[in-house]
Amino acid sequence: MVEIMILTSLIIPQSIVNDESCGRIHTFYCDQSDAERLEKEVIAARPDGWDVVIDDGSHVPAHNIISFEVLWKHVRPGGVYVVEDIETSYYPKSTVYGYNFEAGISAAPPLNALSRFRQYVDVINRGYKGPSGHTFSLFEGDDTI
């Protein structure tokens, strides 16, 4: 059975995103910049993990990184993690849903989520770095990326 989790900062009518007849789509409205709250509320709600995670949250690049690094280790093998609206990593100065942030194309993580995602590619390919590459890590649980 496929379990889908949607993380959002938007207030969306439950009938739009929850399929109550199958009970497999779960929507969480929370502050994705709070790693502890993600652990306590989102992960606790489905300790067996998720097959699909859709991050349609605040769209603040730093929040995308926090959410991914907390939630990824709870995506089941073969599962998918989707981050929506990543173009905000290119915004030099912006406000989205009441959050002020600075990013930009050359900004380093956590200001630019895409810069961090490129680092995940290094994690995926760490075995090619030789013996020292096997210890290259960005967060606990990244060995399953």
Side-chain angles (χ1 to χ4, degrees):
M1 172 155 56
V2 175
E3 294 286 335
I4 301 171
M5 188 266 280
I6 301 172
L7 179 66
T8 184
S9 292
L10 307 172
I11 299 175
I12 302 171
Q14 294 296 90
S15 61
I16 292 175
V17 293
N18 285 351
D19 182 352
E20 295 178 17
S21 64
C22 75
R24 292 186 267 174
I25 301 172
H26 309 275
T27 305
F28 293 90
Y29 175 79
C30 64
D31 178 358
Q32 71 182 121
S33 70
D34 187 341
E36 187 175 313
R37 186 170 174 197
L38 288 170
E39 289 274 356
K40 287 181 179 175
E41 294 179 19
V42 177
I43 294 168
R46 187 76 187 159
D48 294 337
W50 308 95
D51 297 296
V52 178
V53 173
I54 301 171
D55 174 350
D56 185 18
S58 69
H59 310 310
V60 173
H63 297 178
N64 295 138
I65 294 168
I66 292 166
S67 297
F68 181 82
E69 293 185 1
V70 170
L71 299 173
W72 170 255
K73 56 191 162 222
H74 300 282
V75 174
R76 294 177 183 163
V80 178
Y81 192 105
V82 177
V83 181
E84 196 212 38
D85 290 326
I86 58 174
E87 77 277 359
T88 56
S89 284
Y90 294 112
Y91 297 176
K93 275 190 169 184
S94 190
T95 301
V96 178
Y97 301 120
Y99 292 101
N100 296 316
F101 66 94
E102 292 186 35
I105 194 164
S106 59
L111 300 177
N112 185 317
L114 295 175
S115 293
R116 185 61 165 193
F117 296 156
R118 284 188 288 276
Q119 290 176 334
Y120 299 150
V121 173
D122 293 337
V123 169
I124 292 168
N125 292 290
R126 64 183 150 210
Y128 297 104
K129 291 184 165 197
S132 65
H134 293 288
T135 60
F136 179 69
S137 181
L138 295 172
F139 65 93
E140 184 180 335
D142 69 4
D143 56 317
T144 61
I145 291 179

